[in-house]
Amino acid sequence: MEKIKPPLSDLPIKTADKGFYNGFSLDVTVTSKLAVGGLVLWAVAFPEQAGGVLGGLNTFILANFASWYIYVMAFFVIVCLALAAWPAAGKLRLGHDDERPEFDNFSWFSMMFGAGIGVGMLTWAVAEPIYHFRNNPEVIQGLADGESMNNFMNAYKYSYLHWGFSAWSSYAIAGLALGYFTYRRGLPLTIRSSLTPLFGKALSGPLGHLVDIVAVIATILGVAQTLGFGVEQFVAGMSKIGIGDWLVTEEGNASSAGIVVALVVIMGASTLSALSGVGKGIKWLSNINMALSIFLLAFLMIFGSTWFGMQALFMGMIDYIIALPKMLFTVYRPDGSETGDALSGWQGAWTVFYWAWWVAFAPFVGLFLARISRGRTIREFVLGAMIVPSIMCFVWFSFAGGTAIDMELSGIANGEIFASTDGAKIFTMTGIMLGDVLGWCMAVIIVILLMTYLVTSADSAVLIVNTINAAGDEGPKARPHIIFWGVTLGVVVGALLLVGGLTAIQTAMVIGALPFSVVMLLMCFGLFKAIYRDGLRARHGVPSVTVEMPPAE
């Protein structure tokens, strides 16, 4: 009979012990900087070539890996539900068995929501339901009519699909894997630790370095996508409140000068916040944007299309949950017919794009979730991280998007919301609702809220990248490295926006997410193996928790 051994609790990662990179893994840090820096230089020096190559790679990935993204995200949802339902897993804590959570539930949900998905809410809570109200797979197949009431619930079914359980299950898996192996095993808080049940001490060497490099690149590109949307909307907001017409082009998109100014403001503020750490700057900003979010949401619930929004929320959630199993596994393949090609194009532009975005975002949000979730049980963590933020997203989409759809259906908006750019839709909607003076005041509040979301996402990303580069060390990082990644993130967003707009960022992100999706699949198998083995250890009296209780404050 096989002897049950204690779990691996030591994964040495070589770091520099002096000089500029003191405390950092040279292999991971330098390679990541060269890869990201090379992308920026290439995009700036050879914009046409970069655009062409990225576009070709994007076409190849959508043609050959669309089904991979669909099925792997469906698998993540199943894994989360299985972990929550598995009795042996659900009661285990991310930490010592006697530990309790560091943050109260309000702060936990605030930080989780703000870092994970907050920026997207302000752009897409209005823009996406409006888009799907005009076109979605049911409209393409002739089962519903665009811009009519028989398509209203379809708009929400697909909006909820993209921002609901699938997105948060990918974050929950990354966060759970990191929290489990760091706070129960005492392994470094870095991506490679989550694969130790599969590869053991081999992760101390080149294999582990590769895993962490893939995670850093995915994080930078995933956050760049979020900041790209945010910068476009931030510029639209500053233009609405009268900062200057030079911020936008005649078509309503952000001008080059507007992009540069927005990035300087956002990345300057986020770098200062990152220098202050999670406990101070990020927690403080998260609570501010949660309070402003509640204010804006309350305004939309009370003064927007309340009944319409309630229908969208409750009926939309029922439709979404009933249709979810089918939607999770449906892959539309181009077949040469007009309908088949249109369905495949829609899925590539929406669902596959979102799945790649959430995967690219997962190392960042997952590592952040792990840091703020120590002491919680697996069941509490999985259900809390998967269901509560999803419902918050549904509420946002139902009242923000529902109000916009109702205003267009009733003729109040007269096509103005449809005609606005994605980032400007929320400003157009609130402007029509409130008139010039109050609309201006609301635009200022939305710009401040957007600023706090962008800063929270960017400064969290900088700290997360530095934690991975420093072999999981959560302690204070050398200021030059925080400043470097703050500037680099801004330059990546600026370079890709100026070269090819949001499409260039989207393409780079879809490509960067692909290798990390494989890492996440391995994380799932690693978790199941570790939890199963810990159950065997418990039955044989072999300790599976190798960390001490943290000292009481």
Side-chain angles (χ1 to χ4, degrees):
M1 182 177 172
E2 181 191 0
K3 184 181 178 184
I4 304 297
K5 298 177 182 176
L8 177 67
S9 59
D10 181 35
L11 188 68
I13 303 171
K14 186 181 177 184
T15 56
D17 55 7
K18 60 183 177 181
F20 181 69
Y21 286 103
N22 183 30
F24 287 82
S25 165
L26 283 172
D27 299 279
V28 176
T29 309
V30 175
T31 309
S32 302
K33 286 181 176 180
L34 288 173
V36 175
L39 173 65
V40 172
L41 289 173
W42 179 46
V44 172
F46 306 102
E48 289 186 9
Q49 183 194 40
V53 172
L54 287 174
L57 281 169
N58 190 46
T59 303
F60 174 79
I61 286 175
L62 291 180
N64 296 281
F65 290 96
S67 55
W68 164 262
Y69 275 121
I70 299 293
Y71 293 141
V72 84
M73 287 295 278
F75 182 67
F76 295 158
V77 175
I78 293 167
V79 166
C80 283
L81 294 175
L83 287 170
W86 187 6
K91 61 182 186 234
L92 295 175
R93 289 192 178 273
L94 304 183
H96 196 277
D97 289 336
D98 297 324
E99 256 184 88
R100 292 299 177 266
E102 177 185 358
F103 297 104
D104 61 56
N105 284 341
F106 182 80
S107 288
W108 188 50
F109 290 134
S110 296
M111 289 192 279
M112 183 161 52
F113 186 75
I117 220 158
V119 178
M121 286 291 93
L122 291 176
T123 302
W124 295 108
V126 178
E128 185 161 347
I130 277 280
Y131 181 90
H132 295 322
F133 184 55
R134 303 181 91 173
N135 189 40
N136 60 57
E138 269 79 357
V139 173
I140 293 170
Q141 294 173 86
L143 304 174
D145 303 310
E147 298 180 34
S148 69
M149 272 306 292
N150 70 12
N151 193 39
F152 174 47
M153 284 304 157
N154 292 328
Y156 279 91
K157 183 170 72 175
Y158 289 106
S159 297
Y160 292 172
L161 169 67
H162 296 147
W163 293 82
F165 301 147
S166 300
W168 287 95
S169 66
S170 63
Y171 299 160
I173 282 168
L176 181 60
L178 289 160
Y180 192 87
F181 294 105
T182 299
Y183 301 129
R184 287 182 70 84
R185 301 277 198 265
L187 294 172
L189 182 61
T190 186
I191 307 298
R192 70 179 80 186
S193 296
S194 60
L195 304 185
T196 49
L198 304 178
F199 302 108
K201 292 196 172 182
L203 290 162
S204 287
L207 178 63
H209 300 332
L210 178 63
V211 169
D212 284 348
I213 290 163
V214 163
V216 169
I217 293 170
T219 299
I220 292 294
L221 293 175
V223 176
Q225 179 71 63
T226 299
L227 293 179
F229 284 132
V231 163
E232 291 268 340
Q233 188 167 33
F234 188 67
V235 169
M238 290 198 297
S239 175
K240 286 281 183 186
I241 61 179
I243 301 293
D245 293 336
W246 54 273
L247 291 166
V248 293
T249 62
E250 290 182 4
E251 294 79 28
N253 297 315
S255 66
S256 298
I259 289 169
V260 171
V261 168
L263 282 170
V264 168
V265 172
I266 292 161
M267 298 315 300
S270 63
T271 304
L272 290 173
S273 177
L275 290 168
S276 71
V278 174
K280 297 175 185 174
I282 295 175
K283 182 180 177 183
W284 184 73
L285 277 169
S286 294
N287 286 335
I288 286 179
N289 65 29
M290 195 65 171
L292 286 174
S293 297
I294 290 169
F295 168 78
L296 179 58
L297 186 57
F299 165 78
L300 291 169
M301 292 174 79
I302 296 168
F303 298 105
S305 303
T306 308
W307 174 243
F308 215 72
M310 295 291 281
Q311 278 185 289
L313 178 60
F314 292 107
M315 298 301 292
M317 280 177 62
I318 292 169
D319 278 10
Y320 162 67
I321 291 168
I322 291 171
L324 185 59
K326 183 181 178 183
M327 290 194 297
L328 281 178
F329 290 98
T330 297
V331 178
Y332 297 116
R333 303 182 192 279
D335 56 9
S337 70
E338 185 180 344
T339 301
D341 290 353
L343 286 169
S344 174
W346 181 92
Q347 189 171 53
W350 285 96
T351 309
V352 175
F353 157 67
Y354 271 127
W355 289 176
W357 190 7
W358 304 150
V359 166
F361 226 49
F364 153 55
V365 183
L367 210 150
F368 190 71
L369 286 184
R371 289 182 70 167
I372 63 174
S373 304
R374 182 167 184 166
R376 295 187 181 271
T377 65
I378 288 180
R379 183 173 294 117
E380 183 183 16
F381 176 85
V382 169
L383 296 180
M386 187 176 169
I387 294 174
V388 175
S390 293
I391 291 173
M392 279 294 292
C393 291
F394 299 159
V395 172
W396 264 102
F397 272 75
S398 59
F399 287 97
T403 298
I405 290 173
D406 190 29
M407 289 169 70
E408 286 290 8
L409 268 176
S410 64
I412 295 172
N414 198 26
E416 287 184 49
I417 301 174
F418 278 138
S420 297
T421 61
D422 291 335
K425 279 181 167 58
I426 192 168
F427 297 106
T428 303
M429 181 183 76
T430 52
I432 295 169
M433 290 171 69
L434 293 169
D436 292 342
V437 177
L438 289 176
W440 181 88
C441 295
M442 181 59 79
V444 171
I445 290 171
I446 294 171
V447 167
I448 293 170
L449 175 57
L450 180 62
M451 177 77 176
T452 61
Y453 272 137
L454 288 168
V455 170
T456 305
S457 295
D459 62 11
S460 301
V462 169
L463 289 174
I464 293 316
V465 165
N466 270 321
T467 298
I468 297 172
N469 286 335
D473 178 16
E474 296 180 76
K477 306 296 183 298
R479 286 172 177 264
H481 295 284
I482 289 176
I483 294 167
F484 172 86
W485 283 110
V487 171
T488 299
L489 193 50
V491 172
V492 168
V493 175
L496 291 174
L497 276 178
L498 294 172
V499 166
L502 287 169
T503 306
I505 301 181
Q506 177 178 332
T507 301
M509 183 271 300
V510 169
I511 296 164
L514 189 58
F516 192 71
S517 66
V518 177
V519 173
M520 285 190 63
L521 188 65
L522 293 173
M523 279 182 174
C524 296
F525 293 123
L527 266 172
F528 277 114
K529 183 177 179 182
I531 293 167
Y532 171 73
R533 298 285 296 175
D534 281 358
L536 290 179
R537 291 183 183 105
R539 288 197 289 276
H540 287 81
V542 177
S544 60
V545 181
T546 57
V547 295
E548 300 294 324
M549 269 286 286
E553 293 185 5

